[in-house]
Amino acid sequence: MQVAPSILSADFGILAQEVKAICDGGCDLVHVDVMDGHFVPNLTIGPVVVSAVAKAATKPLDIHLMVENNSFFVDLFAPLNPKYISFHIEEEKHPHRLIQKIRSLGISPAITLNPHTPPEAIEFLIEDLDMVLLMSVNPGFGGQKFIPNVLERARRLKEIIKKRNPNCLIEVDGGVNDKNIQALKDAGVDIVVAGS
């Protein structure tokens, strides 16, 4: 499994050092949570801070948009050359168009599903994705309790992926720890976001 520590858990007073530490520690990706205060009640970071993260990181960025107006935010962050940009299917009226836009910018497109959204909701988009991010908490705040139904959702998603696009990865974000990581691996999860 790959590990993508979330910079939301970093000490922002020494952000460059924190990013360097996780990269030196062997992370696979640097997970960046972008929240706009509208789609979720929290407000996090914009391109100026993420640009500083990109300069300090020696591993690829994994940008998770929790925003309204996804296309606008894709334009903001694309110049930082992340590996992935994921957006919430619950917020996007034209997901296929946005997937194509992200790929045309040389970035791997990914879709995020909230805990209540079934994997079948994106079955006909799987062929066009490089990753699906399953939320195992409600998006917007760190430190929440893991929602166990993500294990069943991951297994169902894995079946869809096997049929439609075996190269698509599954990432899980929220409450991942030493007590549930083996179950996530057994359910077919490829990448876990590490928060607290």
Side-chain angles (χ1 to χ4, degrees), residues 152-165:
E152 182 191 345
R153 290 166 63 234
R155 286 190 290 268
R156 283 165 55 184
L157 178 58
K158 197 66 165 185
E159 289 305 309
I160 295 168
I161 285 172
K162 278 184 198 165
K163 283 187 225 155
R164 296 190 170 271
N165 179 6

Side-chain angles (χ1 to χ4, degrees), residues 29-146:
L29 298 159
V30 176
H31 190 80
V32 180
D33 290 303
V34 176
M35 307 179 198
D36 66 354
H38 297 283
F39 178 65
V40 291
N42 202 0
L43 183 64
T44 56
I45 54 178
V48 172
V49 174
V50 181
S51 177
V53 171
K55 284 185 186 119
T58 54
K59 301 293 174 77
L61 299 187
D62 170 25
I63 296 180
H64 173 197
L65 299 178
M66 289 171 262
V67 299
E68 294 178 356
N69 196 358
N70 284 302
S71 191
F72 169 79
F73 281 90
V74 167
D75 289 337
L76 277 183
F77 292 104
L80 301 176
N81 196 30
K83 167 85 172 138
Y84 297 102
I85 291 182
S86 59
F87 63 90
H88 279 260
I89 193 67
E90 299 85 3
E91 182 53 37
E92 186 51 46
K93 291 182 182 78
H94 304 287
H96 191 260
R97 183 185 302 160
L98 186 59
I99 290 165
Q100 289 176 314
K101 176 179 180 168
I102 292 168
R103 192 171 300 285
S104 75
L105 294 165
I107 299 163
S108 291
I111 282 183
T112 306
L113 301 180
N114 277 341
H116 70 277
T117 305
E120 291 78 8
I122 61 163
E123 182 167 359
F124 297 105
L125 294 168
I126 290 288
E127 283 102 336
D128 301 302
L129 295 172
D130 291 347
M131 184 174 76
V132 177
L133 170 52
L134 295 176
M135 294 302 297
S136 44
V137 296
N138 290 296
F141 294 95
Q144 296 181 66
K145 195 171 184 317
F146 181 81

